[in-house]
């Protein structure tokens, strides 16, 4: 605080003490006071769910710190050596330099294993927290105008995080990661026309070749992190420009943001939270082994162990490959068409693109061009919430499929039975989830109306003089009531012909989607209704 | 055009006192005429540390105790680094090193983090502040000036009038990255054709079948009924270059069954030897090693995506995403009783690719 007040007068007034002199020195050269004035007391709303994005940001910082340490020891070479480190069971075994240096980090560098495990755990947490953060944004409608572009940036970050994860996972050149690369190679080869050549160029010749680890290393430590850092900067800049969204509540409006100032409270909470996230990751790295490459051994194209699993975030793609029905590959016109690979790739591609452009689809359906800074409670956007639940179910089905063999062995089921069940879940599950979620949302909205109009059940049973028992309903206070009634209500789009008396097909589609979205709707309680209900309390 | 463009006020802005900035289309949103009024912020509730000086003192103590604890954690981590060194060839020492450095650092980080958060939550003022929002769009003035600048730039640069300059510039910009794309051809060797490479493996007429990984040749008499072996071509282990590349194509699984249980294709009856059959170990789906052989059902299972192949029935697919049967390696026995290949595989092994016939 004192710094800020001292900096304002800049050169004209006599600065106070050493801090003032330093601040003055910096401001005269950087105009930093403008920044402090603009940002120092900027208001941030508070809610636990806003920390999910913070977790993602902090795990990325942890990844950068631990990763930098690892680069000082790791050697991204696939030259063959005989291992000569401390881990006895692999002594003398032929392996790549990459694998040997990963083992050296684990067994010959003090704290090296700890940093490897911090790096891996933080990476898993990074993708997980981005996923949860995205779900929060989706289900509260935070992607609406003006934040559509930030949704796109965030989603691209999610994809890049997975790419970082996969490239990093492949670097130690152990048996599991080599098999992962082999699967990528097989998938790439299945792409029509260019697949064979892409694989050939990617691996620098035939699989596995001696180039891939070095190439992935460049991507993993230079290109991808640089793009991620740049996108995170834009992502956060947008948060500052838009100012953070807030949940509906008394005193919260679209025109103002209520919360705590960045300095000092928010900075303390957020800054402290960084150390807590780091501390939790550190605890995990100290107590729980992750990716024990010494158990897998170096890559060899022949052996593979049962129950192999990719890192969790690749699971959905691996699961999609497993769920393809048999026999989908044909030779047409002298070329092989591998639909057993193309179908999962296409389905995942469509899924990803749909999620990416969802804000624009919804904006088109509603035609709402206003800025939205107050979030929706998920129940108040039943169709959106139901679509989200359907998407989550679809993803979860694919994800579970990546562990179909483990599910089968653990629950003593047949391999085929698990696959067939998951095929059904992936196709029918989203529809069931959609239906159930939408009904639950509408039911919750009805309950909200009930509470606004008739109060909540107090649990107090009263016997009336006539012998009748009733439960006393207690009215909610106006602050709580506001939370329950303050939501936007949309009606389905009605088709009206244009000047030429025509209705374009596009408008028909839009009207259809609008009906699908808003046909079942429960309007918020208005003043008239509320007054009428008075005296109606039991 | 459908008339859904009800220009309306902000619904969520029920606070009527607030200034209306820009009137944007509300789409199909219902503009509620009798919406309830936003009651404004609820009264501020004070924390126990605001009311009770003793609680405030206690919170202060907690915070600095946590910070000191963090210092203890850091020093502990440094001490653990020295006290628990890694002793070569003793895996237990790695575990202790990992555990104790980690515990020290975790303590340092968690105590620091929890201390700062506690400080912020219990001692720093928690009165809520309010910031006004402004529409994200620039002011009308700024927008007008931007449009003006745009027209001035078009005019001054002549991009509008001098079409040839503009079009040739676009052309040059489109073409100039192409050399960079071409450079990437160098990612793979210039003198190799991937299709030709994919169509052949190391197996040749007379190559002995050898055990993986030892490389010892296999006698037909050593292959007992019901057993299965991972097999490589003899000499693979001695390759100077391309050992893994060759192995990725040439890996074979060898199985012996009762000859009467084998349902062989008529043109392949000479490819086996006394119930011993050899199939490519590389899955025809995406190339994982098909490693799991179940003796009772004589099924081969790929652990990656659960494709199953029936060895008794020329390794055809009986379940899973793979389409093609595993390619069979024709085998025979040489004069010394060792298993040998009659030839290379007669079709490309491994995952499908575009040029595969």
């Amino acid at each position: 605080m004192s710094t800020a007040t001292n900096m304002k007068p800049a050169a004209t007034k006599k600065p106070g003490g050493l801090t003032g002199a330093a601040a003055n020195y910096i401001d005269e050269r950087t105009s930093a006071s403008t920044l402090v004035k603009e940002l120092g007391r900027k208001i941030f709303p508070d809610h636990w769910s806003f920390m999910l994005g913070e977790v993602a940001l902090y795990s990325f910082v942890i990844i950068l710190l631990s990763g930098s340490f690892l680069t000082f020891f790791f050697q991204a070479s696939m030259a063959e050596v005989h291992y000569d480190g401390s881990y006895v069971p692999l002594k003398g075994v032929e392996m790549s330099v990459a694998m040997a240096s990963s083992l050296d980090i684990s067994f010959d560098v003090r704290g090296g294993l700890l940093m490897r495990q911090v790096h891996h755990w933080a990476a898993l947490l990074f993708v997980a927290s981005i996923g949860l953060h995205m779900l929060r944004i989706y289900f509260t409608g935070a992607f609406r105008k003006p934040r559509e572009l930030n949704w796109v940036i965030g989603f691209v970050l999610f994809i890049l995080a997975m790419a970082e994860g996969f490239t990093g996972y492949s670097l130690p050149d152990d048996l599991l990661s080599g098999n992962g690369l082999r699967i990528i190679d097989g998938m790439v080869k299945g792409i029509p026309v260019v697949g064979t050549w892409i694989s050939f160029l990617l691996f620098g010749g035939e699989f596995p070749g001696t180039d891939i680890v070095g190439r992935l290393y460049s991507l993993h430590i230079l290109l991808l992190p640089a793009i991620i850092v740049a996108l995170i900067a834009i992502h956060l800049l947008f948060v500052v420009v838009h100012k953070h969204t807030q949940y509906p509540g008394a005193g919260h409006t679209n025109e103002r943001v209520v919360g705590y100032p960045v300095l000092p409270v928010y900075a303390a909470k957020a800054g402290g939270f960084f150390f807590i996230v780091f501390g939790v990751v550190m605890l995990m790295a100290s107590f729980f082994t992750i990716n024990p490459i010494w158990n897998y051994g170096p890559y060899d194209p022949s052996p593979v162990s049962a129950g192999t699993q990719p890192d969790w975030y690749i699971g959905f793609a691996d699961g999609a490959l497993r769920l393809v029905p048999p026999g989908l590959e044909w030779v047409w016109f002298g070329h092989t068409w591998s639909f057993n690979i193309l179908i999962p790739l296409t389905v995942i591609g469509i899924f990803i693109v749909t999620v990416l452009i969802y804000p624009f689809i919804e904006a088109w359906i509603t035609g709402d061009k206003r800025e939205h800074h107050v979030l929706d409670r998920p129940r108040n956007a039943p169709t959106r919430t139901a679509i989200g639940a359907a998407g989550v179910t679809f993803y979860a089905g694919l994800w579970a499929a990546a562990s179909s063999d483990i599910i089968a062995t653990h629950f003593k089921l047949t391999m085929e039975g698990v696959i067939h069940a998951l095929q059904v879940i992936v196709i029918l599950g989203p529809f069931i989830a959609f239906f159930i979620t939408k009904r639950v949302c509408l039911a919750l909205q009805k309950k909200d109306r009930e509470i606004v109009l008739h109060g909540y059940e107090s649990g107090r049973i009263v016997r009336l003089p006539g012998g009748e028992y009733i439960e006393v309903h207690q009215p909610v206070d106006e602050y709580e009531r506001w939370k329950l009634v303050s939501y936007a209500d949309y009606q389905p789009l009605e088709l009206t012909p244009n000047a030429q008396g025509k209705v374009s097909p596009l408008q028909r589609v839009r009207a259809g989607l609008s009906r699908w979205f808003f046909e079942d709707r429960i309007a918020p309680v208005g003043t008239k209704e509320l007054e009428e209900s008075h005296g109606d309390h039991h | 055009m459908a008339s859904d463009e009800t220009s309306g006020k902000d619904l969520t802005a029920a606070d009527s006192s607030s200034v209306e900035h820009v009137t944007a289309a509300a789409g199909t949103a219902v503009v509620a005429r009798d919406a309830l009024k936003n009651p404004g912020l609820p009264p501020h509730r004070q924390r126990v540390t605001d009311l009770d000086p003793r609680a405030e003192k206690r919170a202060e103590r907690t915070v600095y105790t946590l910070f000191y604890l963090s210092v203890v954690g850091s020093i502990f981590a440094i001490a653990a680094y020295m006290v628990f060194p890694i002793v070569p060839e003793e895996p237990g020492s790695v575990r202790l090193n990992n555990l104790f450095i980690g515990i020290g650092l975790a303590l340092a980080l968690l105590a620091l983090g929890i201390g700062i958060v506690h400080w912020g939550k219990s001692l720093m003022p928690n009165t809520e502040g309010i910031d006004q929002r402004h529409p994200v769009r620039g002011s009308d003035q700024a927008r007008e000036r931007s449009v003006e600048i745009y027209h001035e730039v078009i005019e001054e640069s002549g991009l509008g009038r001098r079409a040839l300059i503009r079009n040739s510039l676009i052309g040059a910009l489109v073409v100039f990255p192409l050399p960079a794309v071409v450079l990437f051809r160098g990612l793979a060797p210039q003198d190799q054709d991937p299709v030709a490479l994919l169509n052949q493996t190391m197996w040749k007429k007379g190559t002995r079948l050898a055990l993986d990984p030892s490389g010892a040749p296999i006698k037909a008499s050593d292959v007992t009924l019901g057993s299965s072996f991972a097999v490589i071509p003899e000499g693979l282990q001695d390759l100077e270059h391309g050992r893994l590349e060759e192995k990725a194509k040439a890996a074979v699984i060898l199985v012996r069954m009762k000859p009467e249980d084998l349902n062989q294709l008529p043109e392949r009856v000479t490819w086996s030897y006394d119930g011993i059959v050899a199939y490519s170990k590389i899955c025809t789906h995406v190339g994982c090693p098909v490693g799991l052989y179940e003796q009772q059902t004589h099924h081969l299972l790929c652990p990656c995506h659960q494709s199953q192949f029936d060895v008794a029935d020329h390794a055809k697919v009986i379940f899973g995403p793979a389409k093609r049967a595993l390619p069979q390696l024709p085998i025979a026995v040489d004069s010394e009783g060792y298993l040998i290949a009659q030839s290379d595989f007669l079709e490309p092994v491994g995952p499908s690719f575009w040029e595969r016939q």
Side-chain angles (χ1 to χ4, degrees):
Chain A
M1 268 303 287
S2 68
T3 334
T5 36
N6 279 333
M7 276 166 66
K8 241 186 270 168
T12 49
K13 260 189 211 168
K14 198 179 146 202
L18 186 65
T19 326
N24 180 44
Y25 183 92
I26 292 169
D27 187 46
E28 284 182 349
R29 282 154 186 83
T30 61
S31 182
S33 62
T34 322
L35 213 62
V36 175
K37 175 177 156 277
E38 287 299 320
L39 299 180
R41 286 301 212 168
K42 198 176 164 60
I43 295 295
F44 266 92
D46 213 13
H47 190 268
W48 68 263
S49 68
F50 299 164
M51 93 189 165
L52 296 169
E54 274 181 66
V55 176
L57 178 65
Y58 299 154
S59 24
F60 183 65
V61 175
I62 298 167
I63 290 170
L64 285 183
L65 292 173
S66 53
S68 300
F69 180 83
L70 294 177
T71 58
F72 299 144
F73 300 93
F74 179 70
Q75 291 170 19
S77 156
M78 289 173 90
E80 292 278 301
V81 287
H82 290 273
Y83 176 68
D84 187 29
S86 288
Y87 187 65
V88 180
L90 287 178
K91 253 196 195 301
V93 171
E94 225 175 298
M95 59 178 66
S96 65
V97 173
M99 173 80 181
S101 65
S102 300
L103 287 172
D104 287 345
I105 291 172
S106 307
F107 291 104
D108 291 286
V109 177
R110 273 189 256 180
L113 179 62
L114 187 68
M115 284 303 124
R116 250 198 75 216
Q117 302 202 126
V118 163
H119 195 66
H120 204 126
W121 278 122
L124 296 180
L125 184 64
F126 182 46
V127 193
S129 52
I130 296 180
L132 291 176
H133 175 56
M134 262 172 38
L135 289 175
R136 198 281 290 174
I137 299 288
Y138 177 85
F139 283 109
T140 59
F143 54 78
R144 290 172 298 170
K145 190 184 171 187
R147 298 183 177 77
E148 304 98 319
L149 297 180
N150 224 15
W151 166 270
V152 172
I153 292 170
F155 190 73
V156 172
L157 277 168
F158 181 58
I159 303 282
L160 289 173
M162 289 195 287
E164 272 287 35
F166 190 82
T167 51
Y169 179 79
S170 304
L171 292 182
D173 202 20
D174 58 291
L175 185 60
L176 274 194
S177 72
N179 264 309
L181 283 174
R182 177 113 222 207
I183 294 170
I184 294 289
D185 172 59
M187 284 172 72
V188 168
K189 281 188 176 134
I191 299 171
V193 188
V194 292
T196 312
W197 273 94
I198 292 183
S199 155
F200 190 64
L201 292 172
L202 182 65
F203 290 92
E206 281 195 282
F207 175 87
T210 51
D211 295 331
I212 187 71
V213 166
R215 287 175 186 176
L216 293 180
Y217 192 55
S218 294
L219 295 177
H220 183 75
I221 71 160
L222 178 72
L223 200 57
L224 290 171
I227 301 173
I228 289 180
V229 167
L231 287 182
I232 287 180
I234 302 174
H235 198 66
L236 296 181
L237 184 69
F238 273 150
V239 173
V240 172
V241 170
H242 296 148
K243 295 197 171 87
H244 207 288
T245 51
Q246 59 196 341
Y247 279 91
H252 296 181
T253 75
N254 220 19
E255 273 76 30
R256 58 189 214 184
V257 49
V258 180
Y260 300 117
V262 166
L263 292 174
V265 185
Y266 213 87
K269 284 182 174 182
F273 190 53
F274 165 72
F275 292 105
I276 294 178
V277 173
F278 204 163
V280 169
V281 170
M282 191 63 75
L283 269 188
M284 286 161 79
S286 332
F287 285 96
F288 309 115
T289 304
I290 182 82
N291 201 22
I293 48 167
W294 52 90
N295 286 345
Y296 310 144
Y299 179 60
D300 181 326
S302 180
V304 68
S305 48
T308 54
Q309 298 280 294
D311 266 354
W312 79 264
Y313 44 82
I314 301 294
F316 77 104
D318 195 56
L321 280 180
R322 293 186 187 207
L323 289 186
V324 172
L328 295 177
E329 184 187 304
W330 295 283
V331 176
W332 291 340
F333 313 113
H335 287 294
T336 301
W337 298 77
S338 309
F339 286 98
N340 47 2
I341 287 157
L342 288 176
I343 290 174
L345 283 182
T346 314
V347 169
I348 288 173
I350 292 173
F351 181 68
I352 284 175
V353 170
T354 310
V355 178
L356 183 75
I357 63 170
Y358 181 81
F360 308 103
I361 301 176
E362 196 186 296
W364 182 62
I365 294 172
T366 63
D368 193 344
K369 305 260 191 304
R370 300 166 304 173
E371 290 186 8
H372 291 275
H373 301 296
V374 178
L375 298 169
D376 279 332
R377 296 166 78 215
R379 71 185 61 173
N380 290 332
T383 309
R384 178 203 299 148
T385 305
I387 293 173
V392 169
T393 311
F394 176 73
Y395 182 91
L398 294 183
W399 192 46
S403 305
S404 60
D405 47 340
I406 309 240
I407 295 173
T409 51
H410 273 64
F411 296 99
K412 308 215 182 317
L413 303 165
T414 61
M415 206 83 84
E416 297 83 351
V418 174
I419 291 283
H420 288 318
L422 285 168
Q423 284 168 337
V424 172
I425 286 174
V426 162
I427 292 168
L428 292 185
F431 293 97
I432 298 168
F434 180 89
F435 179 79
I436 293 177
T437 310
K438 192 165 174 187
R439 291 299 127 188
V440 167
C441 286
L442 292 170
L444 286 170
Q445 277 188 299
K446 281 183 190 160
K447 193 196 88 182
D448 283 354
R449 277 184 73 85
E450 194 64 25
I451 290 173
V452 171
L453 293 174
H454 306 297
Y456 60 91
E457 294 167 0
S458 64
R460 196 154 59 88
I461 310 290
V462 175
R463 187 182 178 195
L464 298 183
E468 183 193 0
Y469 287 95
I470 60 153
E471 184 180 5
V472 177
H473 281 228
Q474 207 76 31
V476 284
D477 64 34
E478 54 175 345
Y479 305 114
E480 181 64 23
R481 187 203 295 146
W482 177 249
K483 209 175 100 181
L484 302 181
V485 300
S486 64
Y487 61 89
D489 178 31
Y490 293 85
Q491 63 194 1
L493 172 66
E494 276 172 35
L495 277 179
T496 40
N498 61 9
Q500 284 87 47
K502 283 181 188 154
V503 177
S504 70
L506 203 61
Q507 281 301 322
R508 274 182 211 285
V509 173
R510 188 173 161 203
L513 285 172
S514 179
R515 213 175 316 117
W516 176 54
F517 248 77
F518 300 121
E519 204 164 35
D520 302 319
R521 63 196 185 96
I522 288 172
V525 176
T527 40
K528 211 167 140 218
E529 220 177 343
L530 188 65
E531 268 158 32
E532 278 166 7
S533 78
H534 281 315
D536 199 28
H537 293 156
H538 296 292
Chain B
M1 215 189 89
S3 65
D4 63 314
E5 314 284 296
T6 339
S7 67
K9 294 207 297 187
D10 236 336
L11 280 182
T12 38
D15 190 352
S16 54
S17 63
S18 65
V19 200
E20 202 179 317
H21 299 288
V22 182
T23 320
T28 61
V30 179
V31 182
R33 309 257 168 244
D34 69 335
L36 295 178
K37 280 246 150 47
N38 191 334
L41 282 179
H44 180 70
R45 280 166 63 184
Q46 291 198 303
R47 297 164 298 186
V48 66
T49 43
D50 297 328
L51 301 168
D52 181 2
R54 278 195 322 212
E56 193 191 347
K57 264 266 154 309
R58 198 161 52 236
E60 192 184 342
R61 262 201 315 274
T62 311
V63 172
Y64 68 66
T65 310
L66 280 166
F67 288 168
Y68 282 132
L69 206 58
S70 171
V71 175
V72 171
S74 297
I75 293 171
F76 182 91
I78 297 169
Y81 187 90
M82 299 167 190
V83 176
F84 300 99
I86 290 179
V87 185
E89 310 195 359
E90 217 180 276
S93 68
V94 176
R95 197 173 301 151
L96 293 179
N97 181 273
N98 186 71
L99 183 66
F100 286 106
I101 296 180
I103 288 177
L105 283 173
L107 178 66
L109 292 163
L110 285 174
L112 184 56
I114 294 169
I116 297 174
V117 170
H118 190 58
W119 180 18
K121 285 188 83 128
S122 61
L123 292 173
M124 292 181 190
N126 76 330
T127 41
E128 273 141 334
I130 293 175
D131 264 1
Q132 289 299 319
R133 289 188 192 275
H134 308 284
V136 174
R137 73 200 287 276
S139 66
D140 288 340
Q141 234 180 345
R143 287 159 68 104
E144 267 165 38
R145 182 66 193 124
S146 318
V147 173
E148 260 174 47
I149 291 176
Y150 171 78
H151 287 301
E152 284 165 20
V153 169
I154 296 288
E155 182 53 35
E156 286 171 23
S157 63
L159 275 174
R161 286 172 287 126
R162 304 183 208 281
L164 265 178
I165 288 189
R166 183 190 60 211
N167 295 348
S168 54
L169 172 70
I170 294 171
L173 288 175
V174 168
V175 175
F176 110 92
L178 294 182
V181 176
V182 172
L183 283 180
F184 279 99
R185 172 60 185 88
L187 282 174
Q190 313 281 337
D191 52 349
Q192 290 178 8
D193 173 20
V195 180
L197 289 169
L198 284 170
N199 278 314
Q200 62 183 35
T201 75
M202 206 183 142
W203 293 104
K204 285 196 302 277
K205 184 176 164 59
T207 309
R208 278 180 177 167
L209 277 68
L211 281 176
D212 180 28
S214 71
I218 305 166
K219 274 196 160 139
S221 51
D222 293 340
V223 184
T224 51
L225 199 64
S227 61
S228 73
F229 294 97
V231 166
I232 48 175
E234 194 182 30
L236 180 112
Q237 298 300 66
D238 307 326
L239 284 182
E240 281 287 308
H241 296 288
R243 193 172 53 85
L244 289 181
E245 289 75 20
E246 288 303 338
K247 192 171 182 181
K249 292 190 294 185
V252 156
I253 185 151
L254 189 71
V255 171
R256 182 167 206 163
M257 294 174 55
K258 287 187 192 142
E260 61 268 29
D261 287 347
L262 274 179
N263 174 21
Q264 302 189 83
L265 294 174
E267 69 271 21
R268 293 194 191 171
V269 281
T270 57
W271 288 16
S272 61
Y273 175 79
D274 198 17
I276 303 176
V277 281
Y279 286 100
S280 164
K281 202 183 174 187
I282 310 303
C283 187
T284 56
H285 177 220
V286 285
C288 285
V290 185
L292 308 176
Y293 178 63
E294 204 187 34
Q295 193 194 14
Q296 297 296 319
T297 57
H298 37 78
H299 291 170
L300 268 173
L301 173 74
C302 175
C304 289
H305 302 105
Q306 265 73 65
S307 290
Q308 290 178 38
F309 304 85
D310 188 353
V311 176
D313 207 357
H314 59 88
K316 72 167 188 194
V317 179
I318 50 171
F319 185 76
K323 164 74 185 277
R324 287 176 292 106
L326 295 172
Q328 186 173 2
L329 182 72
I331 53 168
V333 167
D334 68 6
S335 52
E336 293 169 59
Y338 288 107
L339 289 168
I340 53 164
Q342 290 183 27
S343 68
D344 194 357
F345 288 100
L346 298 188
E347 56 178 314
V349 299
S352 303
F353 51 96
W354 178 245
E355 295 86 350
R356 190 180 197 282
Q357 299 283 323

